[in-house]
Amino acid sequence: MTNPASITAVDHRASTGEAICPYCGVGCRLWAEAAYGTILRVKGVRAAAANLGGICAKGVLLPQVLHSPDRLTQPHLRVRRGDDLRPANWDKALAFTAQRLAEILRTHGPDAVAFYGSGQLDSEAAYLAVKLFKGHFGTNNTDSNSRLCMASAVAGYVSSLGADGPPTCYDDIDAADLILIVGSNMADAHPVTLDRIRARRTRDGNRPFLVVIDPRRTKTAELADLHVPVAPGTDVALFNWIARRLVASGRVDAAFIDAHSEGFAEFAEFLRNLDEDALVAAIDVEPTCLDALVERITGSRAMLSFYCMGLGQSTAGVAKHNSLINLHLLTGHIGKPGAGPFSLTGQPNAMGGRECGLLAHQLPGYRFVNNHQHRQELEQFWELPEGTIGPRPGLTAVEMFRGLEAGRIRAIWIAATNPAASLPDLHQVRRALHRAELVIVQDVYHPTETSRFADVVLPAANWAEKEGTTTNSERMVSISERLLAPPGAARADWEIIALVARKMGVPGFEFARREAVWDEFRRLTSGRPCDMTGITAERLRREQSLQWPCPDETHGGTKRRYLDRVFATPSGRARFLAHDHAPPKEATDREFPLVFTTGRIYAHWHTLTRTGKADKLVARDAEPYVEIHPADAERRGIVEGQPVTLQSRRGTITLPARLTTSMRPGLLFAPFHWGDLWGPDRAVNYLTIAALDAQSNQPELKYCAVAMEPAANQVSNGTTDSAPLDGDGHFFHWFHSKSSKSRHGIGSQTR
Ligand SMILES: Nc1nc2c(c(=O)[nH]1)N[C@H]1C(S)=C(S)[C@@H](COP(=O)(O)OP(=O)(O)OC[C@H]3O[C@@H](n4cnc5c(=O)[nH]c(N)nc54)[C@H](O)[C@@H]3O)O[C@H]1N2
Ligand SMILES: Nc1nc2c(c(=O)[nH]1)N[C@H]1C(S)=C(S)[C@@H](COP(=O)(O)OP(=O)(O)OC[C@H]3O[C@@H](n4cnc5c(=O)[nH]c(N)nc54)[C@H](O)[C@@H]3O)O[C@H]1N2
Ligand code: SF4
Ligand SMILES: [Mo]
């Protein structure tokens, strides 16, 4: 590793190279031209399997987000609480971080510290974080924002099929004759993959048949041959209803069920005992629409189902995934081209984070902390004393912030995620960050909603400023090139983690080059379901992308898994898992009569730290809003554009109304992109509930109960009146001084 003091100068020579898009899990390979220390042009790479030349507006506009006054170019430090965060050099920042972490570990033990990472860290960084925290520190309080995102998909795959990771690939789009898109708004969130479906339908006489299951009539739903507008939270009822119909009429693949599954008899018995009328009442969709859906499924030769947060962000998240996979098992639509369940991953390396073991119950190579042999394998590999790695899963995202508030966790290191905007129940998150003794934030910008709470801010290299490995939705492992030098003293995420580890005197972090980190991690996947042994750093540099499993260097990678229909369970059989429909955690009532759901829009990425800097994206969607069915608006005297106050049991916000018949009556939708940096009392996560799926701990970000009225009737609001922690006035001083400069978060002074 180079010396932290040796800052690379801006490169004035023009160069071109390829990097994976830092936004969604489609994983588009982008060609970029760099000169004068910036990126001039970006376009999609035609030869790339993920995008076949495709790119969306967020990708095209990447050059606009790299340079800005709030770009972090050096560490910042606040030595005493109450002080301002001030620029510092790496030596001081590392010394402070290492000393404070060591002190807390020594005084309070390993579980007093936590790492909260992200599916936006590359695999090198994710792996080193796991090695440092779960390995050397001995705490499994090491989780990722994928907990808010893919945790239920992971648990669904593991319980139904025996291992995480989708069986499918993008080429299946060309082989399917029926595509279900369930709880996913691909038009906004995975646009290049939807383009591929569209292109085939244009070529192929509107085939495959397209079904969208979503309570809202989204842009994706508008493309569908059949839109099934299920009542929110009722997917399990829908899948069970379909399964019951299939089994009752004998329209199942008996040969597949016999040879390759287990638990069918119990599942059939469970289905027989269901009350069909109760299911239909819960789903609340026209019976003719449901009949049409069953007809399509029974007539299909290859059914592919895409799904995303409409399934995962639910207290029934794992049940929804198991129940959808049940349909694939009943019909034998798995382990063959054009068929199978296909979780769309949210972030560019949510898959890689899972492979590295970043979730609190995992270890690298799809291993688990509660497995004695897995722990031993890692302890030997990392040369740690036996028993160093804890046998119990650590605290997961939401639990970590509860742990911080309760004082059980004292130090938290947050990297490539912005929890003070993206976690549910933000009032709680703010209390937790206030209570923490040490908050380390590693980001590319400052301030963010979260860095405002930091004691140490560590400057990370941005997209195209570092090399790194990521895995996309179809298990494609890719390398991104470095096209620019990071500005100032910013460094790659993996280097920052290694620097802190070495400063603390932890052995095993003396990596001279990124490749060495990748190759160490890769060796740990040998013989595991996500075997990447054959994907060496050197080979990746030559071939750019390879799909796992890829067990040796002559192996060409694997497009589709389970083609032999031997699953990753001990018996080799896939499991039917029966779940009753259970309603979401928070029911509506007289006081809070409306369902509030949240999600994304095409132009913006998460908490706006990047897309909020691209003028054309901001021009397309400049302000937050709430979508309301006209009937719900009329009843309350609300007209288009009028500010309305939304109140849940946890908080109150105000947003302008957008009236649309694409909503079911009784349902409200708001995008979650705008946090406190963009104006007070608007962040939707002040309303959302931190109710967790019992198996996956993924929070129910898609469903809570709210009341709504025209804003004029409301005197106070949530983010000011119920935030006792801001009694010191610091936050609003900070916010107003910032917003008076610019809405774009200019300026690096905090507090
Ligand atoms: N433009 C853009 N693209 C992104 C992102 C972004 O921020 N911006 N983020 C990326 C990330 S990390 C993720 S996780 C993905 C998320 O991608 P998606 O999951 O597609 O996006 P969301 O808008 O969160 O939710 C999808 C849909 O779920 C529906 N839904 C809500 N409740 C239910 C339900 O009970 N059942 C069903 N069937 N549907 C329901 C909503 O109406 C919504 O249309 O997007 C990725 N891509
Ligand atoms: N209400 C509601 N809330 C949600 C959701 C929802 O649907 N509704 N969805 C949830 C989901 S699925 C997700 S994935 C989360 C996403 O939520 P977050 O992870 O909080 O979202 P981002 O804004 O992407 O945060 C990434 C942070 O990392 C920084 N960053 C960017 N690149 C780098 C880098 O290379 N290195 C480092 N160190 N930092 C970098 C960015 O500036 C930003 O501050 O939100 C969750 N929250
Ligand atoms: S579709 Fe996703 S990966 Fe592709 S350019 Fe757009 S945001 Fe990037
Ligand atoms: Mo996500």
Side-chain angles (χ1 to χ4, degrees), residues 22 116-118 120-121 145-146 148-150 309 313 346-347 414-424 442-445 448 458-463 466 493 496 596 598-600 605-610 670-672 684-685 688 698 701-702:
Y116 183 48
S118 159
Q120 295 173 73
L121 292 170
N145 65 358
S146 286
L148 319 179
C149 186
M150 304 311 294
M309 292 307 109
Q313 291 174 339
Q347 300 169 90
I414 299 167
T417 180
N418 189 4
S422 58
L423 279 175
Q442 179 170 329
D443 207 286
V444 292
Y445 306 108
T448 67
L458 303 174
N462 212 336
W463 176 76
K466 64 190 166 197
D493 287 299
I496 296 175
F596 183 62
T598 60
R600 294 150 171 82
W605 178 260
H606 295 169
T607 71
L608 289 183
T609 64
R610 285 176 285 180
F672 84 103
V684 300
N685 280 327
T688 51
Q698 183 165 344
L701 289 159
K702 289 284 181 270

Side-chain angles (χ1 to χ4, degrees), residues 226-538:
L226 181 67
H227 174 213
V228 185
V230 285
T234 63
D235 302 85
V236 171
L238 174 68
F239 301 145
N240 282 345
W241 181 86
I242 297 169
R244 187 178 143 97
R245 276 292 166 96
L246 295 177
V247 173
S249 59
R251 292 187 291 184
V252 296
D253 185 340
F256 175 90
I257 293 171
D258 239 32
H260 307 297
S261 76
E262 58 193 24
F264 175 72
E266 295 86 335
F267 183 54
E269 176 66 17
F270 161 83
L271 293 174
R272 260 193 300 281
N273 292 329
L274 291 177
D275 176 348
E276 203 163 303
D277 294 337
L279 295 181
V280 173
I283 304 163
D284 194 22
V285 169
E286 287 294 315
T288 50
C289 175
L290 297 178
D291 290 339
L293 176 56
V294 170
E295 281 310 309
R296 282 292 160 181
I297 293 176
T298 54
S300 161
R301 279 172 296 101
M303 175 173 86
L304 184 64
S305 53
F306 288 106
Y307 47 90
C308 206
M309 292 307 109
L311 293 198
Q313 291 174 339
S314 162
T315 46
V318 181
K320 289 186 184 192
H321 286 83
N322 291 148
S323 305
L324 175 60
I325 294 175
N326 287 342
L327 299 182
H328 285 274
L329 302 182
L330 282 177
T331 53
H333 287 319
I334 188 166
K336 63 182 187 189
F342 199 159
S343 52
L344 290 158
T345 36
Q347 300 169 90
N349 199 37
M351 289 279 291
R354 282 140 72 179
E355 292 149 21
C356 293
L358 195 53
L359 291 173
H361 62 294
Q362 300 174 324
L363 290 170
Y366 280 180
R367 291 180 177 84
F368 299 99
V369 300
N370 62 9
N371 180 314
H372 179 70
Q373 191 191 329
H374 290 176
R375 292 197 305 279
Q376 258 187 347
E377 285 165 3
L378 265 301
E379 285 161 356
Q380 279 162 14
F381 189 89
W382 286 333
E383 298 176 5
L384 296 169
E386 194 176 332
T388 310
I389 301 173
R392 274 187 306 279
L395 297 182
T396 59
V398 166
E399 295 172 318
M400 269 184 191
F401 285 79
R402 289 179 186 155
L404 273 178
E405 187 182 5
R408 281 173 66 197
I409 295 182
R410 291 162 187 268
I412 187 162
W413 183 342
I414 299 167
T417 180
N418 189 4
S422 58
L423 279 175
D425 193 3
L426 285 180
H427 287 300
Q428 191 281 330
V429 175
R430 284 165 59 178
R431 287 195 302 273
L433 287 169
H434 252 273
R435 173 82 199 272
E437 282 173 28
L438 176 65
V439 177
I440 303 161
V441 172
Q442 179 170 329
D443 207 286
V444 292
Y445 306 108
H446 171 66
T448 67
E449 283 82 355
T450 306
S451 73
R452 175 263 166 185
F453 290 92
D455 302 288
V456 190
V457 182
L458 303 174
N462 212 336
W463 176 76
E465 295 170 356
K466 64 190 166 197
E467 278 184 3
T469 313
T470 52
T471 309
N472 75 6
S473 282
E474 62 163 356
R475 290 172 281 104
M476 184 73 83
V477 182
S478 295
I479 176 140
S480 285
E481 288 178 52
R482 175 177 135 142
L483 296 161
L484 297 174
R491 304 182 73 86
D493 287 299
W494 72 265
E495 286 186 272
I496 296 175
I497 296 163
L499 282 169
V500 173
R502 294 192 321 187
K503 189 76 186 177
M504 294 178 76
V506 178
F509 288 83
E510 290 84 12
F511 298 96
R513 294 171 318 132
R514 177 204 62 82
E515 285 90 333
V517 184
W518 170 257
D519 282 329
E520 178 176 313
F521 161 62
R522 173 184 59 82
R523 291 210 308 281
L524 273 169
T525 65
S526 173
R528 303 296 307 154
C530 59
D531 198 330
M532 291 177 260
T533 317
I535 311 181
T536 63
E538 188 272 326

Side-chain angles (χ1 to χ4, degrees), residues 655-701:
L655 295 174
R658 257 194 210 176
L659 275 46
T660 165
T661 54
S662 71
M663 299 300 289
R664 291 173 58 101
L667 178 65
L668 306 174
F669 168 83
F672 84 103
H673 304 295
W674 287 267
D676 288 337
L677 235 75
W678 301 81
D681 311 320
R682 305 202 294 186
V684 300
N685 280 327
Y686 284 107
L687 305 186
T688 51
I689 186 168
L692 308 182
D693 179 286
Q695 222 178 311
S696 71
N697 277 356
Q698 183 165 344
E700 190 149 64
L701 289 159

Side-chain angles (χ1 to χ4, degrees), residues 82 434 452 726-735 751:
H434 252 273
R452 175 263 166 185
D726 291 315
D728 57 6
H730 280 147
F731 183 77
F732 287 95
H733 164 70
W734 166 78
F735 171 73
R751 303 191 93 181

Side-chain angles (χ1 to χ4, degrees), residues 173-174 194-208 210 223:
I173 290 170
D174 292 335
L194 186 70
D195 284 346
R196 179 143 179 199
I197 298 176
R198 254 200 212 116
R200 169 152 181 236
R201 280 167 56 86
T202 307
R203 261 192 341 260
D204 224 357
N206 278 338
R207 279 179 308 168
L210 193 60
L223 289 175

